[in-house]
Amino acid sequence: MDSRFASEKVIEEFESLTKNAKRVQIETLQKILKENGEAEYLKKWNLDGRFDPQTYSSCVPVVTHKDLEPYIQKIADGASHPVLTGKAITTITLSSGTTQGKPKEFPIDNGKALSFIYGSKQFTTKGGLLAGTATTNVYRSAQFKKTMRAMQTPCCSPDEVIFGPDFHQSLYCHLLCGLIFHEEIQVISSTFAHSIVHSFRTFELVWEELCSDIRNGVLSAKITVPSIRTAMGKVLTPNPELADKIHRKCLGLTDWNGLIHEVFPNCKYIYGIMTGSMEMYLKKLRHYAGKVRLLSADYGSSEGWIGANVNPNMPPERTTYAVLPNIGYFEFLPLREIDMASRDQDEPDFTFCPVEPKPVGLTDVQIGEELGDVVKVIGFHNATPELQFVCRRNLMLTINIDKNTEKDLQLSVEAAAKLLAAEKLEVVDFTSHVDIASEPGHYVIFWEVSGEASDKVLKECCNCLDKSFVDAGYVSSRKVKAIGPLELRVLRRGTFQKILDHYVGLGSALNQFKTPRCVTPVNHRVLQILCDNVAKSYISTTFG
């Protein structure tokens, strides 16, 4: 029996489901409610055996993660009765997940994947359940390995590397395995684009040592984890010819442009989440990729899977996701702004925030509408909506009546970063902070730059950052000095690595790490790392 991934069958099923999205949604809701009707959470809403969308919407309110925390705690403590689901819960997932899939346009033929994946530690709750990050739970599952074998893209790294206790050592060995199997690598992937860029920035630093390991067949002494050394001993043998080949290719590159295409000649695409906050890393990823295509992963969240990237030929910035109507029952919150002219003058400033009307069903959303998360409806695939990711919904930067989102911050940084091109430099990473300790409060943007930029250029960058925030509330507040001049703080090299190390030390998995784009005083340790590593500081003169 052929155990390979049946892509044509999957596509056929997907087309059928999306053509009948409304019916599938009703059937999915009924299935969910019937299977979980005896759970404590659902019983409290008195559905009385009615499983239609109208009853569900009128009886069950919109909930947040915080609303569910008491129920999750009961499960972790070993509650003997159904709490949230009618089925037994065996594992608790702590954060966002990973991605799997094989688009029809990018077939794989008996290759391997260079997957920068890492499994963090699992622990046991009071009630005896295993808990860990989503990626850890997935990578430890037998189904994950079975699926990757069926798709003919098994990870080139041994399990001992994936689940190693030191991610620095695991990353080094991922790169080494990738080089050993360089002609077999057909996919390079990680959960987020950030992790892929981070991996090849590391390659720039260690490539000669990797070549030495391959030449001599001896693993670097800096790899000290016994299980990793034993596992790598089974794949690493002396190969001077391969070492010389890779060495020549690396020396022949100009500023590492086209690294992936040159070193992994049969790589068909690079796969990971590349939308939202990950767009910032696309320029560098394209630099490394050369001719290799970038493919943005499908759309998921902490709650579950949402949509599939049905147009993989589109550049990541234009990726759209067709919602999967059978994977869950969906309700969306259309976002609309309050008309400032009609606002009661006695109402506080927070009424400028988006208004959330009643939730609407999957097939009732309108083209052009923005929905909570934030996503935009750009069309329909058959009868299911196609969504484009816009930004995380939370207001990132606000002091007065200003409202600047993650997307606004990203656009401002991109505009200012172009000024570094004259000195052949780039922004390695960035974050922000609202400083209200001073009067008036002001925005602080933290940059890590790839080299030493001149004071003249950095001053221009600071001014460009300030004027690139075009929100009317921000501009008017700056003009009347209700918000102070923006401050650009340039960090020492390696600062964001220290922040990454901090989060990994707290139990995060490297491939799930996302740089926080706004650091509040609550996150005092990260703010301290940033402030302790400031090399230079500049104050905007944009508004005089």
Side-chain angles (χ1 to χ4, degrees):
M1 181 177 177
D2 192 347
S3 61
R4 289 179 296 179
F5 186 77
S7 59
E8 294 290 344
K9 183 178 179 182
V10 170
I11 293 170
E12 183 180 329
E13 181 183 3
F14 174 79
E15 292 298 318
S16 175
L17 289 169
T18 56
K19 286 176 182 175
N20 301 284
K22 189 165 187 174
R23 174 181 59 78
V24 172
Q25 275 283 276
I26 293 173
E27 292 173 353
T28 301
L29 176 63
Q30 290 174 342
K31 181 180 179 182
I32 292 171
L33 296 180
K34 286 178 180 179
E35 288 182 352
N36 303 289
E38 293 303 309
E40 177 185 338
Y41 176 74
L42 273 178
K43 288 176 74 173
K44 69 182 287 187
W45 303 118
N46 301 314
L47 293 172
D48 296 327
R50 294 172 296 166
F51 301 145
D52 59 283
Q54 293 75 23
T55 301
Y56 173 78
S57 297
S58 61
C59 293
V60 182
V62 176
V63 296
T64 65
H65 289 135
K66 194 170 185 64
D67 297 324
L68 296 178
E69 284 177 1
Y71 300 94
I72 295 171
Q73 188 60 54
K74 285 184 181 181
I75 295 168
D77 289 343
S80 58
H81 64 284
V83 178
L84 280 175
T85 73
K87 295 181 180 179
I89 293 176
T90 58
T91 308
I92 294 179
T93 294
L94 303 179
S95 57
S96 61
T98 186
T99 52
Q100 300 176 49
K102 179 191 175 186
K104 178 181 177 183
E105 290 82 351
F106 306 100
I108 300 301
D109 184 20
N110 293 321
K112 293 184 184 293
L114 172 51
S115 300
F116 297 106
I117 54 179
Y118 309 85
S120 59
K121 293 179 181 178
Q122 291 178 308
F123 64 91
T124 305
T125 70
K126 181 180 177 181
L129 296 177
L130 276 178
T133 63
T135 45
T136 297
N137 293 337
V138 167
Y139 301 149
R140 287 190 182 277
S141 72
Q143 183 60 40
F144 174 74
K145 294 178 183 178
K146 181 180 178 181
T147 301
M148 298 313 288
R149 283 196 300 270
M151 291 165 55
Q152 303 180 65
T153 53
C155 181
C156 66
S157 302
D159 283 355
E160 290 82 357
V161 171
I162 296 171
F163 297 107
D166 184 325
F167 82 86
H168 294 285
Q169 295 187 39
S170 291
L171 171 54
Y172 183 91
C173 291
H174 275 317
L175 291 169
L176 183 56
C177 288
L179 294 181
I180 292 170
F181 299 106
H182 76 292
E183 289 191 344
E184 298 176 59
I185 300 300
Q186 296 194 26
V187 181
I188 293 176
S189 68
S190 190
T191 308
F192 295 116
H194 167 270
S195 179
I196 304 173
V197 170
H198 174 78
S199 299
F200 285 104
R201 286 190 190 277
T202 302
F203 183 89
E204 290 187 38
L205 302 175
V206 302
W207 70 277
E208 290 182 297
E209 191 172 0
L210 292 167
C211 287
S212 176
D213 290 0
I214 294 172
R215 178 174 290 104
N216 300 315
V218 179
L219 187 61
S220 168
K222 69 182 180 184
I223 307 303
T224 59
V225 178
S227 60
I228 295 180
R229 291 198 68 87
T230 299
M232 290 301 297
K234 298 175 182 178
V235 297
L236 179 61
T237 57
N239 193 335
E241 183 180 348
L242 174 59
D244 291 342
K245 177 182 177 181
I246 294 169
H247 197 275
R248 286 195 301 271
K249 284 182 176 291
C250 290
L251 287 179
L253 295 171
T254 302
D255 194 26
W256 299 101
N257 187 23
L259 163 64
I260 293 173
H261 173 70
E262 286 296 322
V263 176
F264 305 100
N266 296 311
C267 182
K268 290 181 167 64
Y269 60 92
I270 300 167
Y271 184 77
I273 295 172
M274 300 178 187
T275 53
S277 61
M278 293 299 121
E279 285 188 24
M280 182 264 175
Y281 305 104
L282 290 180
K283 181 180 178 182
K284 189 65 176 179
L285 189 52
R286 286 192 172 103
H287 181 80
Y288 285 133
K291 299 177 182 178
V292 181
R293 186 187 302 272
L294 304 187
L295 175 59
S296 191
D298 297 333
Y299 181 25
S301 69
S302 300
E303 295 77 18
W305 222 237
I306 296 174
N309 178 356
V310 291
N311 299 300
N313 284 309
M314 299 292 284
E317 295 91 339
R318 296 173 59 190
T319 297
T320 60
Y321 304 98
V323 179
L324 303 169
N326 66 324
I327 209 161
Y329 182 70
F330 294 97
E331 290 185 314
F332 295 93
L333 295 171
L335 301 180
R336 298 185 179 93
E337 301 286 341
I338 291 178
D339 183 354
M340 294 175 64
S342 63
R343 182 178 67 92
D344 187 332
Q345 295 303 307
D346 293 330
E347 289 178 337
D349 287 338
F350 62 73
T351 55
F352 289 124
C353 294
V355 178
E356 292 179 352
K358 291 182 179 180
V360 297
L362 175 69
T363 56
D364 296 322
V365 298
Q366 303 294 315
I367 292 177
E369 203 166 34
E370 289 199 347
L371 311 170
D373 202 22
V374 175
V375 293
K376 187 174 184 177
V377 183
I378 58 93
F380 282 83
H381 182 88
N382 295 324
T384 197
E386 278 193 49
L387 307 178
Q388 191 167 54
F389 189 83
V390 178
C391 65
R392 296 178 209 169
R393 181 176 164 193
N394 293 344
L395 292 180
M396 304 286 296
L397 298 166
T398 179
I399 296 174
N400 190 16
I401 60 171
D402 49 314
K403 299 181 300 178
N404 281 301
T405 66
E406 176 184 31
K407 189 67 175 179
D408 297 319
L409 173 61
Q410 181 177 315
L411 291 173
S412 177
V413 169
E414 287 176 355
K418 291 177 181 177
L419 299 174
L420 294 172
E423 298 189 346
K424 297 184 178 180
L425 298 173
E426 61 186 355
V427 175
V428 173
D429 218 332
F430 69 93
T431 189
S432 64
H433 171 63
V434 172
D435 185 350
I436 55 174
S438 59
E439 182 60 40
H442 68 284
Y443 292 2
V444 178
I445 310 298
F446 293 95
W447 273 12
E448 184 176 326
V449 181
S450 59
E452 291 293 325
S454 66
D455 285 337
K456 178 184 177 182
V457 167
L458 289 171
K459 287 176 183 176
E460 292 174 356
C461 290
C462 182
N463 286 342
C464 184
L465 282 167
D466 204 1
K467 69 183 180 183
S468 294
F469 285 107
V470 295
D471 166 65
Y474 181 76
V475 173
S476 60
S477 295
R478 284 287 286 115
K479 287 180 177 178
V480 299
K481 296 182 170 48
I483 295 177
L486 180 144
E487 181 181 3
L488 171 61
R489 297 182 188 176
V490 181
L491 302 167
R492 297 185 182 91
R493 291 298 305 274
T495 300
F496 281 96
Q497 179 67 53
K498 293 179 181 178
I499 292 173
L500 173 57
D501 291 343
H502 165 71
Y503 279 107
V504 171
L506 294 177
S508 298
L510 174 60
N511 44 279
Q512 287 186 259
F513 173 76
K514 288 186 282 190
T515 300
R517 292 300 181 216
C518 186
V519 180
T520 66
V522 173
N523 201 342
H524 60 88
R525 178 57 189 141
V526 173
L527 189 57
Q528 183 181 3
I529 293 172
L530 291 166
C531 293
D532 288 347
N533 285 277
V534 175
K536 296 179 179 179
S537 180
Y538 302 88
I539 303 295
S540 169
T541 57
T542 295
F543 292 90

